[in-house]
Amino acid sequence: MAGPKILHMKHNPYQDKLDSELKRLREDNTKLRQQMESSQNSSLVRDYEHVQQKLGDSEAALKKTRTIYQTKVKEFKEGIFDLFGYSVTCPADNQYSLLSVFAESQDDNILFYRVKNNLQLIETRFTKTLDLQAHIAKLTQHRSIPLFLSDVTSDLFHRQTVIGGELEYTCEFGGYSKN
């Protein structure tokens, strides 16, 4: 199974703030350059150097923030996988693809699409193989995606232990591994 993918937020408020500050500093830098060319005032030179320093500091802070954000997203996704047994990716806007630790192949994913405040199950090659009558009842009667996912997880686990014989997983702080 491939390593977890990093999820990037399309609109990160902190990132947007840093980007707008960086844009403002660049505009200030351009204005100060123009003023410096028209006047040989030494205070303008100091202001220009100060803005250059702030611009460099902002760019360094932005780079650090991006690195921290990427690390935290990776840790979060690994935690979700370790706790719930599903790797979650977002193949497109408002889509969530789930791959179980017990999946037989990388293509055995469950796909949901968000419409307003509701998640809708999208049919995939894998969901066609499920006993949908039993599983869909969890979604329609109980309106519970967690119940549906636990039912699918249990089904996948039993498929592997019945079809494949003895299946042994160890759970350590680093994740799941097949023995």
Side-chain angles (χ1 to χ4, degrees), residues 45-76:
V45 171
R46 282 192 301 269
D47 287 347
Y48 173 77
E49 290 170 352
H50 178 72
V51 168
Q52 283 291 95
Q53 179 64 39
K54 284 179 72 175
L55 180 63
D57 292 347
S58 292
E59 287 174 342
L62 179 63
K63 184 177 180 180
K64 182 178 178 181
T65 300
R66 284 183 179 152
T67 302
I68 290 170
Y69 180 74
Q70 289 171 347
T71 302
K72 291 299 178 187
V73 166
K74 182 180 181 221
E75 288 174 7
F76 181 76

Side-chain angles (χ1 to χ4, degrees), residues 81-143:
F81 182 78
D82 291 342
L83 290 170
F84 302 108
Y86 280 95
S87 172
V88 180
T89 58
C90 297
D93 284 349
N94 295 316
Q95 275 192 356
Y96 306 96
S97 177
L98 284 72
L99 181 66
S100 173
V101 67
F102 301 114
E104 294 170 2
S105 82
Q106 293 285 42
D107 297 327
D108 290 351
N109 62 337
I110 301 170
L111 189 62
F112 289 96
Y113 184 74
R114 179 175 297 282
V115 178
K116 296 187 181 182
N117 291 331
N118 296 316
L119 287 174
Q120 295 179 350
L121 178 66
I122 306 297
E123 186 176 87
T124 64
R125 182 192 59 75
F126 171 67
T127 56
K128 288 180 186 178
T129 68
L130 297 174
D131 178 10
L132 283 183
Q133 294 293 18
H135 297 305
I136 293 297
K138 305 304 191 270
L139 290 175
T140 56
Q141 292 174 1
H142 303 289
R143 297 183 177 269

